[in-house]
């Protein structure tokens, strides 16, 4: 049995699909003749085009027209006469086909990365995909297409990036297993958003599990059983059926308002990372979006999403929520959220470093592009702006000033902008300790218990040796939460919670007692949270 951290509830029973990060090493390939290498190159280009064409066709059917268009673009690029002739020249000079592909693609990537034009810069990731795909074909390495795994698959990888999870079809995926990550890592957040059972932090999972192994993944306990006998499978199937029944029973809470046992109205919102996550929040009866983690839009790509692209994402969410509240958190990067193209300096202590609001205030053009996109999208719904990792009044003042400037610039250009409330995340001890002062400057608070717990307890949440201290029920964490809620109440501003604590059965009674207004949780926890609230007095 393997053991990790269960981060997304449910049991998955299925067949392992192991995604290995194969080294694209061609040092053993021997150059025979230019003709031979050119023939290998041509054959690889043909295979690449056929394979890409097939994936694009499948995507088109599944309504992913945009992604299909990107893949058609890849086919055009690999046929680009300049690119082809450059590769052939490399071969004539004695390079094997693999080296020709790598050298030429790298040159193109460097060229595009240095260009001012946003769209051209975005090409870098396209060329990287083409290069890696071509190398895999030439080296005969089978790659797993996450969008095409068969039903009943259990995906096993070192880590799942947002772009990997974005491609998978959740109806075909029984469970997810990864070697890294914890309860609050992005792969966990995405798994919960999609309702897929997941176990993370399983050491050497990609080695211990082989492709085709039959697996049981228990997202509650973090246990993974390989090649279980029929009796064990039957036991887990029964558990799965019971879990499905429990979920079914919760459906009655979908159309109900969130009310405590003694009749006090509350709200359960959903957390999202991508515009498409809105669907599951709505399906699960979420009354709003309490946290849109916008950094997901910036991850797994070669350059920053343009203002236009961001506007598209924010307005899509605003429209989908149809007048219900959507809290958009401004870029929360740094710490464990790396974005290579933003070239954040390597830091000794990234969690205490140049991250989130600190980084944005020091990169005003980047920050303004995001703020403008949000302000423009405000015309399409009920948006609020939320600032991450606030530790001082000055940060709120500076951000508000920048928001006012953006608003003014947009209005001068004749763009409709609504009044957008500006709130803060209380996720540092600093913000909690001066929450009386900050409550006078923010339109709302949202408590981020994932970071708050770590910072209050001085615990690195990834370090197993001190994991016992990373507990939301530790008295100092509770005191920070209580203080924050009470100061918000005193100032008369709404206060919510968007960290994992909002769905914690042990904490909810206390949150109700202290007066928390809004509980923002992952889509799969919305109904359970509403049920727990309905059983408690406020
Ligand atoms: C938090 O810190 O509680 C939070 C919601 O933000 P994130 O998990 O994205 O850091
Ligand atoms: Mg946080």
């Amino acid at each position: 049995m393997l053991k990790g951290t269960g981060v997304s509830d449910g049991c998955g029973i299925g067949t392992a699909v192991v995604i290995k990060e194969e080294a694209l090493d061609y040092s053993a390939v021997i150059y025979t003749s230019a003709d031979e290498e050119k023939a290998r190159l041509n054959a690889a280009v043909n295979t690449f085009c056929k394979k890409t064409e097939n994936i694009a066709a499948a995507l088109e059917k599944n309504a992913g027209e945009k992604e299909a268009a990107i893949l058609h673009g890849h086919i055009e690029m690999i046929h680009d006469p300049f690119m082809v002739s450059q590769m052939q020249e490399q071969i004539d000079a004695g390079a094997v086909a693999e080296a020709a592909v790598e050298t030429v693609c790298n040159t193109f990537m460097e060229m595009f990365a240095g260009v001012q034009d946003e769209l051209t810069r975005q090409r870098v990731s396209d060329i990287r995909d083409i290069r890696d795909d071509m190398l895999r074909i030439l080296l005969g390495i089978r790659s797993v297409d996450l969008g095409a795994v068969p039903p009943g698959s259990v995906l096993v990888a070192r880590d799942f990036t947002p772009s990997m999870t974005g491609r998978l079809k959740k109806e075909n995926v029984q469970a997810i297993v990864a070697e890294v990550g914890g309860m609050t890592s992005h792969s966990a957040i995405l798994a919960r958003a999609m309702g897929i059972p997941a176990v993370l932090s399983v050491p050497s999972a990609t080695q211990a599990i082989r492709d085709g192994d039959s697996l049981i993944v228990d997202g509650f306990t973090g246990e993974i059983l390989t090649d279980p006998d029929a009796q064990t499978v039957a036991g887990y199937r029964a558990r799965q059926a019971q879990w499905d029944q429990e979920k079914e029973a919760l459906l009655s809470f979908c159309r109900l308002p969130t009310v405590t046992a003694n009749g006090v109205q509350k709200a359960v919102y959903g957390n999202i990372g991508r515009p498409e996550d809105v669907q599951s929040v709505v399906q699960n009866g979420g009354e709003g979006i309490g946290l849109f983690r916008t950094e997901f839009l910036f991850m797994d790509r070669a350059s920053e999403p343009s203002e236009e692209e961001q506007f598209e994402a924010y307005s899509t969410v605003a429209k989908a929520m149809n007048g219900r509240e959507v809290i958009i958190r401004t870029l929360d990067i740094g710490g464990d959220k790396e974005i290579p193209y933003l070239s954040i300096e390597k830091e000794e202590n990234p969690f205490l470093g140049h991250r989130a609001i600190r980084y944005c205030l020091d990169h005003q053009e980047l920050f303004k592009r995001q703020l403008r996109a949000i302000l423009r999208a405000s015309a399409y719904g009920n948006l609020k702006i939320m600032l991450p990792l606030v530790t001082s009044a000055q940060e709120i003042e500076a951000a508000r000033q920048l928001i006012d400037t953006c608003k003014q610039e947009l209005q001068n250009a004749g763009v409709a902008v609504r009044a957008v409330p500006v709130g803060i995340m209380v996720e540092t001890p600093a913000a909690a300790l001066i929450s009386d002062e900050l409550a006078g400057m923010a339109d709302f608070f949202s408590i981020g218990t994932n970071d708050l717990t770590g910072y209050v307890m001085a615990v690195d949440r990834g370090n197993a040796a001190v994991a016992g201290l990373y507990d939301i029920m530790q008295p100092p964490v509770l005191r920070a939460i209580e203080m924050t809620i009470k100061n918000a109440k005193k100032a008369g501003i709404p206060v919510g919670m968007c960290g994992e604590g909002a769905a914690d059965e042990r904490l909810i009674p206390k949150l109700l007692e202290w007066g928390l207004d809004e509980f923002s949780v992952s889509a799969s926890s919305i109904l359970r949270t509403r049920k727990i609230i309905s059983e408690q007095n406020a």
Side-chain angles (χ1 to χ4, degrees), residues 291 293 295 329 332 337 425 427 448-451 498-499:
L291 169 62
R293 291 181 161 97
E295 56 277 10
R329 178 174 74 185
D332 182 8
K337 299 164 186 166
M425 290 204 62
E427 56 180 341
T449 49
N450 304 343
D451 275 316
C498 58

Side-chain angles (χ1 to χ4, degrees), residues 184-186 189 271 291 293 295-296 329 332 336-337 351 355 386 388-389 425-427 446-453 455 461 470 497-501 520:
T184 53
S185 69
H186 286 97
I189 289 163
N271 294 344
L291 169 62
R293 291 181 161 97
E295 56 277 10
F296 279 76
R329 178 174 74 185
D332 182 8
D336 60 341
K337 299 164 186 166
F351 278 96
R355 52 172 297 208
M386 179 157 74
L389 207 83
M425 290 204 62
V426 178
E427 56 180 341
S446 185
I447 304 173
T449 49
N450 304 343
D451 275 316
L452 188 63
T453 308
Y455 288 130
R461 58 202 207 201
Y470 184 83
M497 179 174 284
C498 58
E500 294 304 316
S520 195

Side-chain angles (χ1 to χ4, degrees), residues 165-434:
T165 15
R167 273 201 302 269
L168 56 87
K169 278 211 202 100
K170 66 175 178 191
E171 59 276 22
N172 289 356
V173 180
Q174 276 288 316
I176 281 173
V177 176
E179 292 179 0
V180 297
M183 200 61 176
T184 53
S185 69
H186 286 97
S187 39
I189 289 163
L190 286 169
R192 285 195 293 273
M194 288 188 287
I196 300 176
V199 176
L200 308 182
S201 275
V202 185
S204 312
T206 58
Q207 254 115 58
I209 299 171
R210 278 158 313 165
D211 230 8
D213 275 355
S214 101
L215 293 182
I216 292 177
V217 178
D218 188 332
F220 300 100
T221 62
E223 287 168 358
I224 299 164
L225 310 181
T226 35
D227 291 322
D229 58 32
Q231 201 183 349
T232 314
V233 171
Y236 271 91
R237 286 217 189 280
R239 259 191 90 187
Q240 200 174 24
Q242 190 194 342
W243 168 242
D244 287 343
Q245 254 175 22
E246 278 169 32
K247 280 203 292 190
E248 189 77 22
L250 284 175
L251 286 180
S252 59
F253 284 88
C254 197
R255 304 254 161 265
L256 294 180
T258 308
V259 187
T260 63
N262 58 337
V264 181
Q265 183 95 26
K266 298 288 171 185
V268 182
Y269 285 10
N271 294 344
I272 62 167
R274 308 164 304 170
E276 51 269 40
D277 296 340
V278 168
Q279 276 171 5
S280 26
V281 173
V282 173
Q283 276 161 10
N284 282 288
E287 292 155 278
I289 302 294
L291 169 62
F292 182 172
R293 291 181 161 97
T294 59
E295 56 277 10
F296 279 76
L297 300 176
F298 288 68
M299 289 164 119
D300 276 324
R301 44 185 298 151
S303 61
E304 178 197 333
S306 64
E307 179 185 323
E308 216 42 50
E309 227 177 297
Q310 293 188 59
F311 163 74
E312 187 68 31
Y314 307 145
S315 56
T316 301
V317 176
K319 284 183 221 163
M321 289 310 286
N322 208 8
R324 282 169 290 184
E325 211 165 82
V326 175
I327 299 179
I328 302 190
R329 178 174 74 185
T330 58
L331 191 56
D332 182 8
I333 38 143
D336 60 341
K337 299 164 186 166
E338 252 188 78
I339 300 185
Y341 59 84
L342 291 183
S343 49
I344 303 170
E345 303 243 321
K346 272 262 166 279
E347 298 175 305
E348 285 272 321
N349 290 301
F351 278 96
L352 306 179
H354 202 202
R355 52 172 297 208
I357 188 72
R358 305 168 181 179
Y359 182 89
C360 286
L361 287 174
D362 288 340
H363 293 83
Q364 299 215 343
E365 283 312 311
L366 168 104
F367 198 16
K368 280 178 78 179
R369 279 189 285 278
Q370 177 168 46
L371 293 172
R372 268 198 302 267
I374 301 174
L375 290 168
R376 285 170 55 200
S378 71
Y380 297 87
N382 182 3
L383 298 190
K384 290 183 169 185
I385 293 175
M386 179 157 74
L387 310 172
L389 207 83
V390 167
T391 49
S392 73
Q394 290 75 10
E395 286 163 343
I396 306 179
E397 263 165 24
R400 275 193 179 279
Q401 252 173 31
L402 213 55
I403 293 168
D404 286 343
T405 309
C406 292
K407 217 184 271 178
Q408 203 55 56
E409 285 172 3
L410 286 169
Q411 277 164 349
N412 291 348
V415 179
V417 175
R418 286 201 187 159
V420 180
V422 179
I424 63 163
M425 290 204 62
V426 178
E427 56 180 341
T428 61
L433 286 167
I434 55 165

Side-chain angles (χ1 to χ4, degrees), residues 23-26 29 40 98 134-141:
L24 300 173
D25 176 13
Y26 53 84
V29 179
R40 288 182 63 227
E98 288 85 350
M134 282 289 292
L135 286 176
R136 269 186 224 110
I137 294 169
L138 282 163
L139 292 165
I141 296 173

